[in-house]
Amino acid sequence: MKDRMPRLRAFLRDPRAQAVLLAAYTALSAAGLAFAGLSILWFLLLLVSLLLLYYSDLPRRVKWVWAGVVVAVLLPVCASNGSSYESFMEVATQMGIYVAMAVGLNVVVGFAGLLDLGFIAFFALGAYTYAIFFSDQANHVIAGHHFPLSGDLFWLCLPVGLFVAALFGVLLGLPVLRVKGDYLAIVTLGFGEIIRIIFNNLDKPVNITNGAIGISSVQAPRFFGISLSFPHQFYYLVLVLLAIVLYAVQRLEHSRVGRAWKAVREDEIAAQAMGVPLVRTKLVAFAVGASFSGLMGVVFAAKQAFIDPTSFTMLESITILVMVILGGMGSLPGVVVGACLVTLLNIQLMPELTNWLNTLTTAGVINFPSALSPAKMQRLIFGIILILFAVFRPQGMIPAKTRRYDDAVLSRLAAEWRETASGVRRDGGRPTAPGYTSGHAAGQEGAKEGASL
């Protein structure tokens, strides 16, 4: 028995064995989703295969291709065999929207260390930007009855919603850069509530948002003459946008801007002394995070065809923050997992559990009061989950990893920098490497930013 355990461990560490086992698990869960009756269970098991794929030792490109095949082919094809096809696609679409928003908030909170409790405001800005001009609501403001705009222009509204949210992210960032920590959280919380209240009361004296009634009959997007109105159509749209968002954030994380965000998060004074422009770095974090939220706000308004201020409450901001904390602040795969888990709990698992308990109550098996149903107690359940994670896993489900660089490459770059510096000294100049700012220059830049504020 003792001799078999090392062989088994060595077998499981082999990437080829992992690929075979993972393929078997994925095929089994896909077949279960396609043919079994308990579809929700197989739906979850198929999603778990993506988590197993993350922990496997397969090459990175293989993982991306594998994950793409699962989410773009296996999941919709296998789910289409059952009667709950559109329901599963609706859940998957909501997951994609929340994942993109959580990834955006992770840029602000996880990378830059700026606690933002009003993140849902940028989502509302993107949603109202689309809803006002793609319904007859804009006719109350602009004469001529040119609205609603055609659904073919939806694709042009995506960058518009992104830009509007990014602009408001910068406008929010400018006044709040003087505060940090708890004070920053309170200010951003106030910003989120102000935006919601404005949309709630902007029906007088000019009816722009239709107030608490909301905007209905929003035009559906059109793609080459095809109207996108079903959840499975929006699923592919969200999937493409989510892939772009994940790729952009993954590239930003390991870029100079991403390293500057993390430096500011760890120690603002030390980062500024090392040449990191503090104000610009924070504003870029606010703008990038907000832009992803505004982008998904456009998609949300187009999918729902109706929006009102109740969709953008403070609880939504807290829910997105919970996704980031549960997954692991600063961890891109962790945030994706956290967003999927919380969305599933909110949309699918808790209502299913509530229905099951109600069925047992109706049948007389148990006497479960409706006031204690999981759907009504979800905030309490989230609070308990957060406490448990804070006690037993404070870094989240998948903690952030510090990227390791090859020592040989770093030594070669250091030698090249020394050679460049010595050559500059012989010429009488300052030994400054290209792309970096000296501490003195950084101090001057920081002083200028402080004076401008």
Side-chain angles (χ1 to χ4, degrees), residues 29-164:
S29 54
L33 178 62
F35 303 110
L38 295 174
S39 299
I40 181 61
L41 176 63
W42 296 107
F43 179 74
L44 296 176
L45 290 176
L46 185 56
L47 292 180
V48 170
S49 69
L50 298 176
L51 186 61
L52 298 177
L53 177 66
Y54 169 75
Y55 282 110
S56 69
D57 295 328
L58 299 178
R60 181 183 292 269
R61 291 185 178 180
V62 175
K63 289 183 179 180
W64 279 107
V65 173
W66 194 308
V69 171
V70 170
V71 298
V73 180
L74 280 181
L75 184 63
V77 169
C78 295
S80 65
N81 198 36
S83 58
S84 305
Y85 173 50
E86 294 297 345
S87 175
F88 284 136
M89 289 298 98
E90 173 67 21
V91 173
T93 304
Q94 292 280 1
M95 286 170 59
I97 291 175
Y98 277 105
V99 166
M101 293 175 63
V103 168
L105 184 59
N106 186 51
V107 170
V108 183
V109 178
F111 292 165
L114 305 169
L115 185 55
D116 188 351
L117 293 182
F119 195 69
I120 198 66
F122 307 115
F123 186 63
L125 286 167
Y128 270 95
T129 300
Y130 180 81
I132 290 174
F133 293 102
F134 286 77
S135 67
D136 58 359
Q137 189 63 35
N139 292 323
H140 297 280
V141 184
I142 303 173
H145 293 281
H146 300 298
F147 302 96
L149 297 176
S150 170
D152 294 322
L153 299 178
F154 165 79
W155 313 101
L156 295 179
C157 193
L158 285 175
V160 172
L162 184 146
F163 175 76
V164 169

Side-chain angles (χ1 to χ4, degrees), residues 366-417:
I366 60 173
N367 186 14
F368 194 83
S370 61
L372 298 179
S373 65
K376 293 181 180 177
M377 306 291 287
Q378 57 179 252
R379 301 302 165 192
L380 174 64
I381 295 174
F382 281 162
I384 294 174
I385 293 175
L386 277 179
I387 292 173
L388 292 177
F389 266 82
V391 173
F392 298 105
R393 201 169 178 83
Q395 301 300 322
M397 298 175 66
I398 303 178
K401 295 180 180 178
T402 303
R403 189 174 186 176
R404 293 188 175 182
Y405 295 90
D406 190 351
D407 293 337
V409 175
L410 290 179
S411 301
R412 180 175 56 81
L413 292 176
E416 291 177 0
W417 186 84

Side-chain angles (χ1 to χ4, degrees), residues 9-27:
R9 290 173 183 169
F11 174 76
L12 293 177
R13 290 196 189 102
D14 187 1
R16 289 173 296 184
Q18 293 177 359
V20 172
L21 293 174
L22 191 58
Y25 175 84
T26 305

